[in-house]
Amino acid sequence: MSVFSKRILIRSLFICANFNGLFSEIYNLFQRTRIRTFVKPEKQKKKLFINKTKPKTLLWLDDRLNPLDKRMDWLSYSPIGRNVDAVWVKNKFEFKNWILKNGLPDAICFDTDLGDSVNNGLACARWLVTYCKDQGLKPPTWSSQSTDPDEKAKIKRFLKQSYPLS
């Protein structure tokens, strides 16, 4: 191979090479003496310790109040704070299905009036207590955002009687 063709081949490889060190390895093949290649050490990546735990889940039981509504700070009723994944369920059927599908949430906010006099917040609390006792689970932290003080007290009294230490 002529010197001219070697130079053209080397230059074309230099232009086309996308892989680090490929040019120097090919160039070394054409030379009688090996050229020492210096590989730059990779820049050390700074490891950031980010807390990747997912936020706690709040099950919001209410037929009309959206917990993520920006006009009102409904998450102030949350027993676990405002930095939560709020799941809005509107009736006893959705409440039961969500718990059966996803397990117990970290906290629950009860409303008493769900538009049905039979399947209200107290009925959901009763179902929750039965479910927890059957499964051998401790019930999640709870609170109530209800505006009816008597019904709110009934839920509070029932849950405290069922689980006095929780």
Side-chain angles (χ1 to χ4, degrees):
M1 187 181 272
S2 70
V3 176
F4 179 73
S5 60
K6 282 184 186 179
R7 287 184 181 168
I8 291 175
L9 179 63
I10 290 172
R11 285 184 183 161
S12 63
L13 287 174
F14 179 76
I15 292 170
C16 295
N18 291 332
F19 188 72
N20 285 341
L22 181 64
F23 171 72
S24 61
E25 289 296 319
I26 294 173
Y27 184 76
N28 288 339
L29 291 175
F30 290 109
Q31 300 297 321
R32 290 186 181 160
T33 59
R34 305 257 316 147
I35 298 174
R36 293 190 337 204
T37 58
F38 295 99
V39 178
K40 293 180 182 178
E42 287 187 33
K43 294 179 182 177
Q44 291 183 351
K45 296 178 182 175
K46 292 182 181 179
K47 292 183 179 179
L48 299 175
F49 294 101
I50 299 172
N51 188 3
K52 292 190 176 183
T53 59
K54 63 181 204 177
K56 293 183 176 184
T57 304
L58 171 69
L59 192 59
W60 183 269
L61 176 64
D62 201 315
D63 62 332
R64 58 184 178 84
L65 299 178
N66 181 354
L68 302 176
D69 188 2
K70 300 294 182 195
R71 294 175 289 168
M72 183 71 177
D73 185 18
W74 295 114
L75 289 178
S76 63
Y77 290 99
S78 170
I80 55 174
R82 288 179 175 88
N83 187 20
V84 295
D85 281 339
V87 178
W88 185 20
V89 293
K90 299 178 184 179
N91 54 41
K92 184 179 177 183
F93 178 74
E94 290 179 6
F95 179 80
K96 286 171 56 174
N97 283 342
W98 192 91
I99 290 176
L100 292 173
K101 182 179 178 185
N102 301 303
L104 289 177
D106 296 305
I108 299 175
C109 279
F110 289 96
D111 183 26
T112 56
D113 181 25
L114 299 177
D116 185 0
S117 61
V118 176
N119 293 320
N120 55 16
L122 184 59
C124 292
R126 287 183 180 139
W127 180 86
L128 177 69
V129 167
T130 305
Y131 174 79
C132 289
K133 286 184 178 180
D134 290 346
Q135 300 295 322
L137 300 171
K138 183 180 175 187
T141 308
W142 57 271
S143 71
S144 177
Q145 74 273 12
S146 178
T147 56
D148 185 354
D150 294 332
E151 293 297 320
K152 186 176 184 176
K154 283 182 186 177
I155 292 176
K156 183 177 180 180
R157 196 170 30 249
F158 174 74
L159 289 171
K160 282 194 172 188
Q161 286 174 354
S162 300
Y163 290 98
L165 299 177
S166 61

